Amino acid sequence: MLSALILWPWLVALWLAGRAQDSHRLAVPAALFELLLALAVLFGADTPDSRALHLPLLGYLWYLQNSSLGATLAVTAAALLPFALLFAWRLEEFRGFTIAALVLVGALMGTFFSQNFLGFYLFYEIVALSGAWMILIGGDRDRAAALRFLLYTVGGSLLLLVAVLYLYLRSGNTNGIYTFSWTHLAAAAAPDPDLAWWLFLAMLAGLAVKLPLFPLHSWAGPAYGRAAPPASMLLSGAAVLAGAYGLIHWAIPLLPLGALHFAPYGILLGAIGTLYAAFLALDAPNLRRFAAWVSVSHMNLVAIGLFALQEQAVHGALFLLVAHAVLAAGLFGVIAILEARGLPGHWDALGGLFRQTPQLGAWMLFFFLTGMGLPGLANFPGEFLSLAGAFRVSPWPAAIAALGILLSVVVFLRAYERVMLGPLNPGIARGTGDLAGRELALLWALGLLCLWLGLDPQPLLGQFQGLLPVHSAVLFGGVAHGH
Amino acid sequence: MAIEASLEPLILVGAATIIAFFFDLSRHLARWAPGFGALTAILTAAAVFHSRLTLGAGFYWDSSASVLGAYLGLATAAVLVFTAGHPLARRLPGALTGLSLTVLLGALCLVSSQTLLGLFVGLELQVLPFFALLAWPGSRRVALEAATKYALLAGLASALFGLGVATLFLGNGSLALIPPAGSLLTGFASHLGLLLLYAALAFELAVAPFHTWVADIYEGAPAPIVLLLGAVAKVGILGAWIDLASVSESWTTPLWVLAAISMVAGNLLALRSQRIRRLMGYSAVAHAGYFLAALGAGPLGIVAATVYALAYGLMHLASFLPLAVLPEDSHGIPWKVLRQRQPVLAGLLALALLSLAGMPPSIGFFAKLGVLVVAIHAGLWPLAVLLALMSALSFAYYLPAIWRADSSERSPVLHHASSWSYLGALGIVVLLLGWIGLPALLTVL
């Protein structure tokens, strides 16, 4: 069952690589089936682990284990896939995009369920490579952006590998069993605090770069900004899940001491990142960059919640991850719709669209309001919980982050004004059409998801309840700092 | 008189080498020369496997030597099968086969020898044929330049090696790798001798700072010969280096110093090179660095180094086999044409470049993983971090090589032979799934 979640999209991708003519017919049903599989994993009775490829000294390389956190994130990623494909429908590179997206989502599923670190690492690298591939084939076909994205991710993840190899050798040296299994690595005796600090930094370099956390963020602008909007949707909505999941499932439980020491700095970095990325969004030259930096700003808020190492904040951060995936679909979806009408998104070429396309204007406002964190919409519960939790641990950085959220209100409103309000930009053709059937349906679906997450967050938050005893954030209970 | 079991593979290759030259006597016979050579090479691999773990007077097929020896036989066979379809083999195929087998003989001596003299003979046996091979009739003018450069450098390396052997003899009074007195390293003279041997091998292997020749030769020499040079000759040198390092485990400083220099220099130079063959040459410098990083990690490093040598040979085969299909003077990779006419080889080349960069789950990643493990195990943190950063950097030139569009207007004429697709498919399987066999290999070691 869990293996099918990975293999199904890969097999479809392989099939499409051979038979070009099937891509439009097959892509969306395949993606919906993947979503169905993910839902079955989330709600089905306990899914058996699937194990294969036992290698001496490494353990079961293909060892997939279900967990409610993994399954929730898997459903999120799988839900994003059909949206991305449908928004990419008219692109000329649709087939290549579909293949890359299927490979990316399949590998993401692998990262969420791998019990073996080496397996996680393999899938993580495949996510990076297919992400770079996606940036490369669509949008502005910017090689430099793709390479930068890949170099950041690969360089960081090799450092992550070095850190985990140390733990692997340490656990193997003590009990004689050399394996990359999560349980063995987590059971290894804790290294002394100084070393733990460095090891945690190395792991952070590999995992936080995907979010991206503040000083590691500079790839995100070009990557999200130059890729085709559906690709950015998947990268900023789905690929980041792997980084956040890696932090909470691998880095923090394996090096609890390192995490504890780093936590105050992590919160501070996240707070600076939230504010800084909001400023970058204010300064963005076009709509795509704007969406890119807004997404980075939200992800730094997620980091604050994770590093607060406190139940409420971690719940909020995870909730925000899921909500942000929906928001990313909405933001980049609106951009994709604009681009389909020949509006590339430079501020100079936009303005006064509301009268031409009132429905699009309304939906854009809806998603912008979600992004600002309006109560009742998807982002609010997550932002509120993670900030509230972080505030109890370290008030000052949380206050900086709150400033960042305030700034983002300005950012969103200003962007909206530039695109929709004022006199109609003379460069825009008079006959620019409003939303058509499929686009409208997609935005309705996303909008309902936003409303559901915002008005009734409890079912999703309930999914996270069960996981905290396993994932060790509760283990600290915030004892060491604050309280 | 009974023949020592450890000599069987060497005698087999030696006899076949002499026979191979006679194929040129008749034109009908000459066509079969590469096939004969390939068959012998496969038999040699079997013979090595048969005589594994046998200890002779001068040669010892220990576990790493037998793994590398079996690989060398198979790699030579692959090179000969490939060359049979290449235009280069139209002139004097018998002599070409004979010289290739000589290189194999030298490489086998290098991986298995237990005496310094055996190493020296092996080195000469595999160096001398390249003087002729690199400038084979039918190749370009630059090939002549490459051959001359190679001759100069190989002469220097041989001289250094001879000097090193003499100095070691001065120190130990013995030519055995494990002298009767006990240790190879007894005093100043033996340390100096070992350093000289390392320098000679570093020249042959193109380890920085002895690497300046490598790009010219990779670029100028005919591609099938570069295939042989990297996949057989260099792996032979790697084997010799493993032999030397495993008897001097107490002194690893020069190894990891060379490793660090080589990793940095190779990657930076490759990053700056525009043409694909030069890039491959400099990247080979970086890979020599990764290999030495494994050796520098002490006893456990021997295993990782053997695996790395094996993986490096395979990756070199997989990358230069498709490159040898292109015209000799191509600067970039004409992906569109290659994909249309030789889809299997195009796939193999892309996979080989990813594998060289260390992208999981290819064999190159697992080889690097082994190096990282032993380096961390030995506590060489700076080396491990440097290796991680440098292999991340290597993505910055391997990947553009994959996605760079070919700038040339003309569509190049590719060489073609029906057997190449099978070789390519075999290569894809090995690169993609070969790592499943690595642990089994480790248990043999």
Side-chain angles (χ1 to χ4, degrees):
Chain A
M1 186 76 175
L2 290 171
S3 301
L5 212 49
I6 302 171
L7 293 178
W8 165 253
W10 284 5
L11 285 178
V12 176
L14 204 64
W15 175 265
L16 290 183
R19 288 174 57 99
Q21 64 272 32
D22 285 349
S23 53
H24 276 90
R25 209 154 12 112
L26 213 58
V28 175
L32 289 176
F33 184 66
E34 174 78 359
L35 178 59
L36 214 61
L37 278 177
L39 284 170
V41 166
L42 180 62
F43 292 117
D46 25 60
T47 329
D49 298 352
S50 53
R51 274 186 263 192
L53 274 177
H54 183 272
L55 300 176
L57 297 177
L58 303 180
Y60 284 99
L61 201 56
W62 186 282
Y63 188 164
L64 306 174
Q65 203 172 36
N66 196 0
S67 70
S68 67
L69 175 61
T72 310
L73 296 183
V75 169
T76 312
L80 211 52
L81 181 62
F83 285 112
L85 291 180
L86 284 168
F87 278 120
W89 200 256
R90 292 276 163 74
L91 297 181
E92 54 177 314
E93 67 269 13
F94 180 76
R95 174 166 154 257
F97 173 76
T98 308
I99 292 173
L102 286 169
V103 172
L104 178 97
V105 169
L108 268 178
M109 299 297 161
T111 57
F112 296 146
F113 295 115
S114 274
Q115 199 264 1
N116 185 302
F117 174 77
L118 217 52
F120 171 82
Y121 185 81
L122 299 189
F123 289 121
Y124 196 69
E125 294 289 80
I126 295 173
V127 168
L129 194 67
S130 51
W133 182 246
M134 213 145 60
I135 298 172
L136 192 71
I137 55 173
D140 301 336
R141 297 170 193 268
D142 188 342
R143 297 206 184 109
L147 195 61
R148 195 185 224 190
F149 167 74
L150 198 74
L151 281 184
Y152 265 85
T153 325
V154 170
S157 60
L158 277 163
L159 290 179
L160 161 75
L161 183 65
V162 169
V164 174
L165 281 181
Y166 175 80
L167 294 175
Y168 159 79
L169 286 170
R170 193 178 169 86
S171 107
N173 286 345
T174 46
N175 58 17
I177 305 169
Y178 287 91
T179 165
F180 279 99
S181 146
W182 188 89
T183 35
H184 276 87
L185 291 178
D192 64 284
D194 274 353
L195 191 60
W197 164 261
W198 285 109
L199 289 176
F200 190 78
L201 279 189
M203 291 180 94
L204 208 62
L207 296 166
V209 73
K210 251 310 199 279
L211 279 177
L213 186 64
F214 163 56
L216 303 171
H217 63 279
S218 77
W219 59 267
Y224 298 167
R226 307 282 287 185
S232 307
M233 192 187 294
L234 275 180
L235 288 174
S236 71
V240 292
L241 298 176
Y245 177 80
L247 276 178
I248 200 162
H249 185 78
W250 292 99
I252 296 175
L254 291 193
L255 290 167
L257 269 181
L260 207 55
H261 284 170
F262 183 75
Y265 303 97
I267 295 176
L268 188 63
L269 286 179
I272 297 174
T274 310
L275 191 62
Y276 183 62
F279 271 114
L280 285 174
L282 195 62
D283 189 40
N286 56 41
L287 206 50
R288 278 192 199 167
R289 286 276 167 133
F290 155 77
W293 290 126
V294 163
S295 151
V296 173
S297 175
H298 284 143
M299 279 301 130
N300 276 282
L301 205 54
V302 169
I304 295 180
L306 290 182
F307 286 121
L309 295 177
Q310 191 253 12
E311 191 171 2
Q312 199 181 19
V314 172
H315 284 191
L318 291 173
F319 189 91
L320 188 55
L321 265 182
V322 177
H324 175 263
V326 179
L327 174 67
L331 281 182
F332 285 108
V334 168
I335 297 176
I337 290 170
L338 280 176
E339 289 196 2
R341 282 162 181 57
L343 301 170
H346 279 281
W347 302 126
D348 304 344
L350 293 168
L353 261 177
F354 192 84
R355 285 196 202 145
Q356 284 281 316
T357 56
Q359 292 204 42
L360 179 60
W363 277 112
M364 197 166 178
L365 185 63
F366 178 83
F367 288 116
F368 278 20
L369 288 175
T370 310
M372 289 176 218
L374 199 72
L377 293 175
N379 263 25
F380 175 71
E383 289 187 7
F384 179 77
L385 281 177
S386 53
L387 266 190
F391 199 78
R392 292 166 69 176
V393 177
S394 46
W396 281 110
I400 300 180
L403 262 182
I405 294 180
L406 274 183
L407 184 63
S408 84
V409 174
V410 179
V411 170
F412 273 112
L413 287 180
R414 180 149 166 68
Y416 191 74
E417 182 216 329
R418 281 167 159 181
V419 178
M420 285 293 169
L421 307 180
L424 184 65
N425 189 311
I428 299 175
R430 284 272 157 195
T432 305
D434 207 350
L435 295 177
R438 192 182 59 233
E439 294 164 346
L440 200 59
L442 282 173
L443 291 185
W444 263 107
L446 284 171
L448 287 178
L449 271 177
C450 268
L451 275 174
W452 174 63
L453 286 174
L455 293 174
D456 186 17
Q458 212 48 50
L460 182 56
L461 284 173
Q463 285 296 325
F464 304 138
Q465 290 300 344
L467 88 222
L468 280 166
V470 192
H471 299 85
S472 58
V474 157
L475 216 129
F476 309 109
V479 192
H481 42 257
H483 284 283
Chain B
M1 189 184 78
I3 297 172
E4 270 182 29
S6 66
L7 290 179
E8 279 167 10
L10 302 177
I11 291 172
L12 181 64
V13 186
T17 306
I18 297 169
I19 297 170
F21 281 99
F22 289 100
F23 275 79
D24 277 337
L25 289 179
S26 130
R27 184 163 298 182
H28 294 293
L29 213 53
R31 274 192 309 152
W32 300 103
F36 165 76
L39 198 66
T40 326
I42 291 172
L43 283 178
T44 311
V48 168
F49 187 71
H50 176 69
S51 57
R52 69 184 188 282
L53 302 183
T54 51
L55 177 62
F59 297 93
Y60 175 33
W61 294 97
D62 59 4
S63 38
S64 68
S66 14
V67 167
L68 288 182
Y71 157 77
L72 287 170
L74 295 178
T76 313
V79 172
L80 282 171
V81 168
F82 175 79
T83 316
H86 197 272
L88 196 74
R90 288 199 196 121
R91 307 258 188 97
L92 299 174
L96 187 68
T97 308
L99 289 177
S100 304
L101 287 178
T102 316
V103 174
L104 173 64
L105 181 61
L108 288 178
C109 282
L110 279 175
V111 297
S112 66
S113 176
Q114 282 300 298
T115 61
L116 293 171
L117 226 46
L119 286 180
F120 188 69
V121 170
L123 193 69
E124 291 305 307
L125 272 178
Q126 76 159 15
V127 158
L128 292 175
F130 276 109
F131 294 178
L133 283 174
L134 286 170
W136 201 249
S139 49
R140 295 170 301 154
R141 264 186 88 81
V142 273
L144 205 60
E145 183 192 325
T148 317
K149 277 182 185 158
Y150 186 82
L152 283 175
L153 119 97
L156 183 60
S158 297
L160 280 176
F161 201 90
L163 206 60
V165 170
T167 318
L168 266 173
F169 183 71
L170 190 72
N172 295 338
S174 159
L175 283 173
L177 273 186
I178 306 172
S183 165
L184 182 73
L185 296 170
T186 48
F188 174 73
S190 53
H191 281 88
L192 181 66
L194 190 64
L195 271 188
L196 284 169
L197 294 191
Y198 280 169
L201 293 182
F203 261 118
E204 292 284 348
L205 196 58
V207 174
F210 308 102
H211 64 279
T212 40
W213 57 275
V214 68
D216 288 344
I217 288 178
Y218 268 52
E219 196 187 11
I225 306 303
V226 181
L227 194 63
L228 189 71
L229 180 72
V232 180
K234 274 199 177 178
V235 175
I237 304 280
L238 295 178
W241 212 312
I242 292 173
D243 286 341
L244 283 176
S246 57
V247 293
S248 60
E249 278 162 359
S250 55
W251 196 43
T252 55
T253 318
L255 291 173
W256 58 259
V257 169
L258 278 177
I261 300 175
S262 202
M263 280 192 276
V264 174
N267 277 308
L268 291 182
L269 285 169
L271 199 59
R272 287 190 47 197
S273 42
Q274 297 296 317
R275 301 183 202 159
I276 182 69
R277 292 253 207 117
R278 291 190 85 82
L279 186 154
M280 297 304 293
Y282 285 129
S283 91
V285 178
H287 282 277
Y290 305 145
F291 166 81
L292 289 179
L295 270 192
L300 204 59
I302 304 293
V303 179
T306 309
V307 170
Y308 205 90
L310 193 66
Y312 172 73
L314 288 171
M315 292 189 290
H316 182 91
L317 268 180
S319 53
F320 261 88
L321 222 120
L323 286 179
V325 170
L326 307 176
E328 286 288 337
D329 54 352
S330 37
H331 287 183
I333 305 170
W335 283 107
K336 204 180 275 175
V337 184
L338 194 63
R339 235 181 13 226
Q340 275 167 5
R341 310 237 181 96
Q342 306 263 6
V344 184
L345 290 184
L348 180 66
L349 181 53
L351 188 61
L353 289 172
L354 283 178
S355 179
L356 281 166
M359 180 73 200
S362 62
I363 198 166
F365 166 72
F366 284 89
K368 251 180 211 162
L369 181 71
V371 179
L372 274 177
V373 168
V374 296
I376 294 173
H377 185 80
L380 295 172
W381 282 102
L383 203 61
V385 171
L386 189 68
L387 202 161
L389 291 178
M390 283 299 142
S391 31
L393 184 66
S394 72
F395 274 87
Y397 54 85
Y398 285 123
L399 283 178
I402 293 178
W403 66 44
R404 192 183 292 147
D406 37 336
S407 48
S408 60
E409 302 284 308
R410 70 208 168 91
S411 94
V413 183
L414 303 186
H415 306 305
H416 180 78
S418 52
S419 61
W420 290 352
S421 296
Y422 299 107
L423 270 182
L426 189 68
I428 289 179
V429 171
V430 170
L431 280 196
L432 212 54
L433 300 175
W435 50 269
I436 295 177
L438 282 185
L441 204 69
L442 288 184
T443 48
V444 175
L445 285 172

